[in-house]
Amino acid sequence: MSEDETTYVVVLNDEEQYSIWPADRELPAGWRTDGTRGTKSECLDHIGEVWTDMRPLSVRKQLESL
């Protein structure tokens, strides 16, 4: 099995949910990049550092208003 040499970007949607996407492909509708680019491992490590609250943004806002 060959090593994955794909370059990825970190993407997030309007609910601030993160994922990775191949850098050479057009982003799917509703997703934007956060500026991070690298190997799969590098991108996943970045997500692990920045995505500390897995709740969707709408849920976090709703709970803050209580």
Side-chain angles (χ1 to χ4, degrees):
M1 183 178 229
S2 64
E3 186 174 325
D4 183 2
E5 294 183 15
T6 306
T7 298
Y8 292 90
V9 293
V10 174
V11 295
L12 65 156
N13 62 21
D14 291 338
E15 288 286 349
E16 294 184 355
Q17 296 168 311
Y18 285 80
S19 189
I20 61 173
W21 193 256
D24 62 349
R25 295 184 57 195
E26 186 176 336
L27 293 180
W31 292 83
R32 65 189 184 280
T33 181
D34 85 341
T36 304
R37 180 185 192 97
T39 65
K40 185 175 189 176
S41 178
E42 291 168 334
C43 289
L44 291 175
D45 287 347
H46 173 72
I47 290 172
E49 292 174 14
V50 298
W51 196 13
T52 58
D53 189 340
M54 303 289 272
R55 298 173 299 169
L57 180 61
S58 59
V59 171
R60 294 191 318 253
K61 285 183 175 182
Q62 184 178 34
L63 291 173
E64 288 173 4
S65 69
L66 295 177

